[in-house]
Amino acid sequence: MKSLILYNSDGRELRKFVPLKEGEAGFYCCGPTVYNYAHIGNLRPYTHWDVLRRVLKRFGYKVKHVMNVTDVGHLTDDGDDGEDKMIKGARERGMSVWEIAEFFTQAFFDDMKRLNILVPDVVCRATEHIDVMIDLVKRLEERGFTYEGGGNIYFDTKKLADYGRMALLERQELRHGARTQVDAQKRNPTDFVLWFTNSKFANQAMIWDSPWGRGYPGWHLECSAMSSKYLGECFDIHAGGMDHIPVHHTNEIAQSEGAFGHKWVHYWVHNEFLIMKGGKMAKSKGSFITLNDLLEEGYEALDYRYFLLGGHYRSQLIFSSESLNAARSARRSLMGRMADLLREAFPCSKDDLGLAVRARLEAFDTALGEDMNTPRALAEVWSLVKDDSIEPGEKLAALFSMDEVLALGLASAGRESRQVAADGELSLLLEQRGKARASKDWAAADRIRDELLSRGWKVVDTSDGSRLEKSE
RNA sequence: GGCGCCGUACCCAAGUGGCUAAGGGAGUGGAUUGCAAAUCCAUGAUUCAGCGGUUCGAGUCCGCUCGGCGCCUCCA
């Protein structure tokens, strides 16, 4: 089993991954809140967690990957001047909250597919697990972690000795109430609602029966309840955005460890943000870039994936059209080299790989094993490509192997030439141009080249003759 | 105000105190080409925001200054 080192936010150190069960890895990541399209910043973590999942598999683990879909309209746990996100989305688009959830869940998975992100083994919706959440609150109630105030059930954070350990909250002087209204019902500023029966909004659309009255769950509850249902009350990895450390994940830990009475998650991994020129992209800011926007500008989704893998998941990554262009150029170049290799060789079998190429693959794995260092892994890809001591067939085999983790679509590199070969008309035009060139009829040759370009194909002349590549 | 992260070439970006500071993109020069595109070759930081310190040795550790970002509100 290859060694995987992960940075564990709970303890803030790099730690070798040791699974709870030999050869298996249980892995939960915070999923989307489906009240709007995901913007490209939202898509960053899922790409990195996809790599994590693929690395775990590559290193020999049997992976169980669970992700939630937050389709409950959440208020905040503090006094909130805002509006329920789901209700707002529904009102603005003239749909019901349920339709909104369904629509944007679909849109989210469309994006996942285009980015070559594997669908988690379990995708669980909050609205389908209300009973599990209620059970968790009951257990907390039995163990004395809750109190009632103003119709809502609160978690008493004073009852948990190491509340806030991951976020180092004890070192912080939080300015509670600085930006929001303090909830007068709370005994401690950090307490949070487990179950609401007292909605701040008259038209609360999603409510369920509970032992405490009709209402809806607190936001943090769903992740604790669902992850534990599918992965057990103690599991390996919980992933999410670093913005969640102080509140969401801190409270998940509190309510889970409170209810279960033991340590809950062994490795917490958190991603940093995608940064625009002026700061992070946020849904609440109203304007943001979606994957569709990039596609409309002529980028491929996998160009964006390449861009993301070019930065480490724990570092802020600066987005600009310039850097995305760089990623696109790099990926195209890589695809071009793949296509060239495929013209001269077939991928050889894994058993026939020589020492040099094995060393390259080893270096690639090492990079990924060291806290998922995808930038270094990409550098290893380029080193391999440019290594003249390695036979084309070996390179191809290694590149296909690497792409099992990177998922940059390298396997489709040779597709264009096959497509051209299958298209009689294109082949004929290419042949005619070849004849025109042979007789130095440049006008005719250029006319055919323009014709092909107008059909979306770019002519590439080589010493071995001409071929076609897809243009923009 | 508190807490945390970051500042590496024109741009993006790796870098676990110790060989010549990865990789990609852009640029430039050359080869090739009917032209163009593609491709190939060559070319990049005596230096890692600045200053000081620790050390035999620091981009990597410590302190201060300047600059950027995040969290303490829902947020990936």
Side-chain angles (χ1 to χ4, degrees):
Chain A
M1 192 82 66
K2 281 185 174 125
S3 163
L4 173 63
I5 291 163
L6 291 175
Y7 181 82
N8 191 353
S9 303
D10 192 1
R12 307 203 176 194
E13 60 177 3
L14 289 165
R15 256 178 66 196
K16 187 178 188 308
F17 176 66
V18 180
L20 287 161
K21 280 174 82 175
E22 177 75 32
E24 294 184 24
F27 166 36
Y28 180 87
C29 69
C30 284
T33 303
V34 286
Y35 68 99
N36 202 338
Y37 291 104
H39 58 64
I40 56 175
N42 294 130
L43 297 173
R44 184 180 186 198
Y46 303 108
T47 306
H48 288 298
W49 307 147
D50 182 60
V51 171
L52 174 56
R53 170 192 175 152
R54 289 168 183 267
V55 168
L56 285 165
K57 183 161 181 294
R58 183 179 186 80
F59 286 10
Y61 295 96
K62 183 169 179 280
V63 183
K64 184 170 183 184
H65 180 195
V66 179
M67 183 182 80
N68 68 308
V69 170
T70 302
D71 57 352
V72 179
H74 281 299
L75 308 175
T76 60
D77 53 355
D78 275 335
D80 189 358
D81 303 324
E83 191 176 3
D84 181 300
K85 290 183 288 193
M86 296 287 286
I87 294 174
K88 184 163 182 272
R91 182 170 46 73
E92 286 174 355
R93 292 170 200 273
M95 295 192 236
S96 75
V97 286
W98 302 95
E99 286 166 343
I100 281 286
E102 184 53 39
F103 180 82
F104 288 111
T105 299
Q106 190 55 52
F108 175 79
F109 281 104
D110 287 346
D111 285 349
M112 295 294 100
K113 188 173 182 184
R114 288 189 288 216
L115 286 168
N116 267 351
I117 293 169
L118 299 170
V119 178
D121 301 298
V122 177
V123 174
C124 41
R125 292 164 197 243
T127 51
E128 292 169 5
H129 294 76
I130 301 298
D131 54 336
V132 190
M133 299 185 216
I134 289 173
D135 285 344
L136 195 73
V137 180
K138 279 189 197 161
R139 286 174 71 171
L140 286 168
E141 198 169 40
E142 284 160 17
R143 293 174 60 90
F145 285 100
T146 66
Y147 62 89
E148 188 272 338
N152 297 331
I153 306 298
Y154 291 86
F155 183 95
D156 189 344
T157 52
K158 271 283 186 297
K159 295 275 171 67
L160 203 69
D162 63 348
Y163 176 81
R165 68 163 188 266
M166 179 165 74
L168 306 178
L169 291 186
E170 76 282 1
R171 293 196 350 207
Q172 303 190 16
E173 290 174 26
L174 304 183
R175 293 172 115 190
H176 296 286
R179 296 164 77 186
T180 55
Q181 192 81 27
V182 173
D183 183 342
Q185 302 292 339
K186 285 185 181 180
R187 293 181 185 169
N188 315 295
T190 47
D191 291 355
F192 55 94
V193 176
L194 294 164
W195 189 267
F196 289 92
T197 64
N198 182 17
S199 174
K200 296 177 180 65
F201 302 107
N203 57 343
Q204 185 66 33
M206 292 176 167
I207 49 174
W208 295 266
D209 286 324
S210 86
W212 313 280
R214 270 177 87 70
Y216 56 98
W219 175 47
H220 315 299
L221 202 50
E222 61 174 276
C223 289
S224 292
M226 294 193 287
S227 61
S228 302
K229 170 175 177 173
Y230 293 106
L231 294 169
E233 294 183 358
C234 183
F235 62 92
D236 295 305
I237 302 171
H238 191 311
M242 53 80 65
D243 56 316
H244 283 319
I245 293 173
V247 178
H248 183 46
H249 291 161
T250 287
N251 291 343
E252 278 188 48
I253 292 173
Q255 62 196 5
S256 299
E257 300 194 347
F260 305 148
H262 57 70
K263 184 157 176 147
W264 178 49
V265 168
H266 278 216
Y267 296 84
W268 283 89
V269 292
H270 289 99
N271 64 280
E272 253 292 358
F273 276 65
L274 183 75
I275 298 295
M276 308 296 287
K277 210 173 177 182
K280 71 170 183 175
M281 198 180 288
K283 288 183 185 178
S284 55
K285 287 183 182 171
S287 70
F288 53 83
I289 302 172
T290 63
L291 187 61
N292 265 322
D293 294 335
L294 298 185
L295 299 178
E296 279 172 16
E297 285 173 38
Y299 297 100
E300 291 183 44
L302 296 181
D303 294 333
Y304 183 60
R305 182 170 174 119
Y306 188 104
F307 165 77
L308 290 175
L309 299 187
H312 190 263
Y313 78 96
R314 281 195 294 115
S315 298
Q316 291 182 344
L317 181 62
I318 302 171
F319 179 85
S320 66
S321 58
E322 198 180 4
S323 49
L324 183 58
N325 284 341
R328 172 166 64 182
S329 295
R331 181 169 163 271
R332 279 183 182 167
S333 173
L334 205 51
M335 297 287 272
R337 285 165 184 273
M338 286 287 282
D340 288 344
L341 288 167
L342 282 164
R343 268 186 286 280
E344 53 182 308
F346 291 104
C348 69
S349 94
K350 277 186 178 172
D351 302 325
D352 296 335
L353 295 177
L355 282 175
V357 69
R358 283 175 192 275
R360 292 283 180 205
L361 280 167
E362 195 61 38
F364 176 81
D365 285 349
T366 299
L368 291 171
E370 288 176 6
D371 200 26
M372 290 201 291
N373 195 324
T374 51
R376 241 174 71 206
L378 279 177
E380 292 301 337
V381 170
W382 284 100
S383 299
L384 168 78
V385 166
K386 294 186 172 180
D387 189 336
D388 292 334
S389 75
I390 296 172
E391 296 299 316
E394 292 183 307
K395 279 190 191 178
L396 284 169
L399 285 165
F400 282 127
S401 168
M402 290 170 167
D403 203 44
E404 287 169 10
V405 173
L406 303 175
L408 293 169
L410 301 186
S412 67
R415 199 164 53 199
E416 291 181 359
S417 56
R418 293 193 294 276
Q419 196 177 332
V420 174
D423 188 324
E425 209 173 329
L426 287 176
S427 304
L428 186 65
L429 282 168
L430 194 60
E431 195 182 317
Q432 286 174 346
R433 176 168 174 277
K435 284 178 183 163
R437 291 182 74 214
S439 55
K440 296 196 189 298
D441 184 355
W442 309 125
D446 290 350
R447 206 182 315 120
I448 297 173
R449 182 163 68 190
D450 290 343
E451 167 64 21
L452 283 163
L453 193 61
S454 73
R455 297 184 186 206
W457 292 90
K458 190 171 64 183
V459 179
V460 179
D461 294 328
T462 73
S463 53
D464 286 340
S466 305
R467 63 167 197 271
L468 295 178
E469 282 179 9
K470 267 263 197 292
S471 65
E472 288 299 306

